[in-house]
Amino acid sequence: MAEAFAKVFGEALLSAFLQVLVDRVASKEILDLFPGDKAVVKLLRDLRTVLSSANSLLNDAEEKQITDENVQKWLDELKEVIYDADDLVDKMDGEVLRSKQEGKHRTKFKNFFKFFNKKVKLEAEEILCTLTLLVDQKDSLRLREVENKSSSNRLAPSLEASDVYGREADREEIVNLLLSHDASSGNKVSVIRIVGMGGIGKTTLAQLVYKDGRIEEHFELKAWVTVSQDFNISKITTTICAKLPSEEPGKLEHRDNDEPFELQEKLKKALRGKKFLVVLDDVWDNDSDQWDSLKSSFESGASGSKIIVTSRRENVASIMVVVKTHYLSELTDEYCWKLFVKYVCGTNEDLDESKEEIGREYVKRCKGLPLAIKTLGCLLRSDQHVHKWESILNVDVWNKQDS
C-alpha cells in the first residue's frame, strides 16, 4: 500500500516538476547567457517545445501504464531524460547567478564561456534527440495529448483569502495599480501582467485581487476568462459577453452563426462607457493580430479600465499598454509550512512531532512552489500513518532533486 501511495505521489510530483522545467529551460535569464549564439538559443527553445509536448502526453501515459508495460517503460525513460534536462538547467541557473555576481567583468572569462556554450550545446542536442524519439512514439503507444489538468479545469474565482499565504504584499501592489487612474499614459485601458513559472500561484493571486472588496466597488463590470494555450478570440469574446450584464435581455447571447467581427461589436457595445476589469488567466500566445482584435473591443470602455493577464511569459500582451509586469517569486519557508499544514490537516493546527520533521523536509524539497505543496498536502491528508510519510521521502523524484 505504501509503495502504491508513493507511486501516485511520484507521478503527481513529476507532472508539476515537468511544468516548472518547461518554464525554466528557455527563460529570458537563461537565453541572455548566450548573446549572439543563435544555435544554442534555438536549441533551448526547441527543447522547451518538445518538453511541453511530452508534458501533454504525461496525463494519458500515467493512466495507461497500469495496463500497458510498454507505456510504463516509456514513462521510466521519459523520467530519465527529464532529469537530464533538469541537470542541464541547474548548470545554466548556476551560470546566471555567476554572471550576476561578475557583472561587467564577465568578459574576462571569454574562453571559459566559449567552453560552457559548447558544453550546453552538446548536452541540449543529446537531450533533445532522446526526448524527440520518445515523443514520436506516441502513435505506436496510442498516447493522446491531454491539456494539463491544473489549467484546463480552472474555474472562476472561488477561494477565500484565509486559504492563501504569503501573498498580501503582492495583492496590495496589484490592487493599488488597479485603483490608479494612469492619467499620464493617455490611454483608457491598460494591462497589468502577473508573470511567473508554472505552479507558483499566478492564478491564486489574480483571484485574490478579483474578489477584493475595493475592486468590487471600483469597477462597474468584471469578467474572468481562462485562456490557456488556445488563444481563441471568438471564445474569449463570447465568454466575456456571457458574463456581462445587459440592459436588453438576449442582446449579448452568442449565436453559432455569429462572425468574429459581430462578437467584437457586441463586446464593444457592452463595455462602452463602462469602467471594467477583465482577467485573462494563463495566457501563452502573443500573436499581435489576435491581441489587436481584442484591443479594439476593449477601447470602448471608460478611462481607468484594466486588464490583468497571468502568464508564464513576460512578453504577452506587448501590443497593449502595459503599466506593470509583476514578477511572482517563490513562497518563503514560513508560508510554505503554513500552506502545507493547512492542506494536510484541513485546519491551521500544528502537526505532531513525529510528522513535523518529515513535513518540514517535504516543504524544503518543494522549493517554494505552492502547487507542489498543495499536491503533496492533499495526497498526505488521505493517509496519516508516519511510516507511509517516510516512504514518500524515497520517491525517485525527490532523490533526483537532492543529487
Side-chain angles (χ1 to χ4, degrees):
M1 177 66 180
E3 181 181 350
F5 185 72
K7 182 178 179 59
V8 170
F9 169 68
E11 291 162 358
L13 186 63
L14 179 65
S15 181
F17 182 71
L18 184 49
Q19 287 178 56
V20 173
L21 187 58
V22 168
D23 295 330
R24 291 169 61 208
V25 72
S27 66
K28 185 177 184 301
E29 282 190 326
I30 283 181
L31 295 183
D32 284 347
L33 283 175
F34 309 100
D37 197 332
K38 295 181 179 179
V40 173
V41 169
K42 183 179 185 304
L43 259 178
L44 294 177
R45 285 176 171 159
D46 289 346
L47 185 54
R48 177 177 62 188
T49 299
V50 182
L51 281 168
S52 183
S53 297
N55 195 24
S56 67
L57 297 171
L58 193 57
N59 286 330
D60 193 38
E62 286 172 351
E63 292 178 5
K64 289 179 177 174
Q65 65 165 322
I66 300 171
T67 56
D68 193 326
E69 290 183 3
N70 289 325
V71 174
Q72 173 63 64
K73 182 181 177 182
W74 182 89
L75 260 179
D76 290 339
E77 292 176 359
L78 178 64
K79 289 177 185 178
E80 289 305 312
V81 72
I82 287 173
Y83 296 155
D84 289 341
D86 186 57
D87 282 341
L88 176 61
V89 172
D90 281 344
K91 292 174 188 175
M92 293 189 290
D93 279 341
E95 206 51 53
V96 168
L97 180 60
R98 190 213 299 260
S99 298
K100 288 180 178 178
Q101 292 171 341
E102 291 172 355
K104 62 182 180 180
H105 301 296
R106 190 174 187 268
T107 53
K108 292 182 179 180
F109 304 93
K110 187 174 181 180
N111 290 334
F112 167 78
F113 288 112
K114 276 188 176 180
F115 172 76
F116 179 76
N117 288 21
K118 184 177 180 181
K119 187 175 181 181
V120 167
K121 185 173 183 291
L122 290 173
E123 290 187 30
E125 284 176 338
E126 184 176 348
I127 293 167
L128 180 61
C129 179
T130 304
L131 198 57
T132 301
L133 288 173
L134 286 171
V135 171
D136 286 347
Q137 292 176 31
K138 65 180 181 180
D139 291 334
S140 61
L141 294 172
R142 297 181 180 179
L143 294 176
R144 59 191 178 88
E145 295 187 359
V146 179
E147 188 176 6
N148 187 269
K149 296 173 186 176
S150 65
S151 62
S152 61
N153 294 328
R154 242 185 230 138
L155 301 176
S158 59
L159 88 170
E160 297 298 328
S162 59
D163 296 328
V164 183
Y165 298 94
R167 295 303 186 200
E168 292 83 1
D170 297 288
R171 177 179 61 181
E172 286 304 305
E173 182 173 346
I174 301 298
V175 167
N176 289 334
L177 286 167
L178 290 174
L179 299 180
S180 65
H181 293 295
D182 301 324
S184 59
S185 68
N187 292 278
K188 286 184 177 181
V189 184
S190 54
V191 173
I192 297 167
R193 286 187 293 226
I194 300 175
V195 175
M197 67 175 66
I200 205 165
K202 301 180 295 296
T203 298
T204 298
L205 175 58
Q207 288 176 337
L208 277 178
V209 170
Y210 191 85
K211 293 190 69 176
D212 191 283
R214 293 165 290 178
I215 299 304
E216 295 277 0
E217 294 178 2
H218 186 74
F219 293 99
E220 297 175 71
L221 302 174
K222 292 197 310 174
W224 178 289
V225 185
T226 300
V227 180
S228 297
Q229 297 190 41
D230 180 22
F231 196 87
N232 185 309
I233 291 295
S234 294
K235 177 184 174 183
I236 294 171
T237 306
T238 300
T239 303
I240 296 174
C241 284
K243 295 181 179 182
L244 297 177
S246 175
E247 296 176 0
E248 301 177 55
K251 188 73 173 179
L252 295 181
E253 287 183 5
H254 170 58
R255 297 186 298 270
D256 291 338
N257 60 348
D258 278 346
E259 293 292 336
F261 79 90
E262 291 178 307
L263 290 171
Q264 291 170 29
E265 285 302 311
K266 285 183 178 181
L267 183 56
K268 281 182 183 179
K269 290 178 181 178
L271 297 178
R272 182 164 293 134
K274 305 285 181 63
K275 186 182 291 186
F276 66 83
L277 170 65
V278 171
V279 177
L280 301 177
D281 184 38
D282 194 28
V283 178
W284 290 68
D285 204 315
N286 194 38
D287 186 294
S288 58
D289 291 335
Q290 299 263 47
W291 276 101
D292 197 43
S293 297
L294 270 183
K295 181 180 179 181
S296 65
S297 297
F298 289 144
E299 286 179 341
S300 67
S303 179
S305 295
K306 298 289 197 301
I307 301 167
I308 294 177
V309 175
T310 74
S311 181
R312 304 180 185 191
R313 302 176 180 180
E314 61 183 336
N315 66 334
V316 295
S318 55
I319 195 173
M320 307 284 287
V321 178
V322 179
V323 297
K324 172 74 175 181
T325 298
H326 184 88
Y327 296 96
L328 203 55
S329 58
E330 296 87 349
L331 287 179
T332 64
D333 290 344
E334 176 192 356
Y335 288 123
C336 285
W337 176 248
K338 289 181 178 179
L339 185 64
F340 175 76
V341 172
K342 175 82 171 181
Y343 274 82
V344 169
C345 301
T347 65
N348 292 317
E349 298 176 4
D350 290 332
L351 293 173
D352 59 58
E353 291 184 11
S354 62
K355 294 176 184 172
E356 181 168 346
E357 184 177 352
I358 303 172
R360 289 193 179 276
E361 182 61 29
Y362 285 144
V363 167
K364 178 182 175 183
R365 297 184 185 190
C366 284
K367 297 182 177 179
L369 292 178
L371 177 61
I373 293 168
K374 290 176 184 178
T375 301
L376 173 58
C378 289
L379 287 166
L380 292 175
R381 186 175 181 178
S382 65
D383 200 315
Q384 296 286 335
H385 293 87
V386 174
H387 71 280
K388 290 180 180 177
W389 280 41
E390 291 173 338
S391 72
I392 304 301
L393 287 174
N394 298 317
V395 172
D396 58 351
V397 176
W398 286 136
N399 296 334
K400 174 58 190 168
Q401 287 182 315
D402 291 340
S403 63

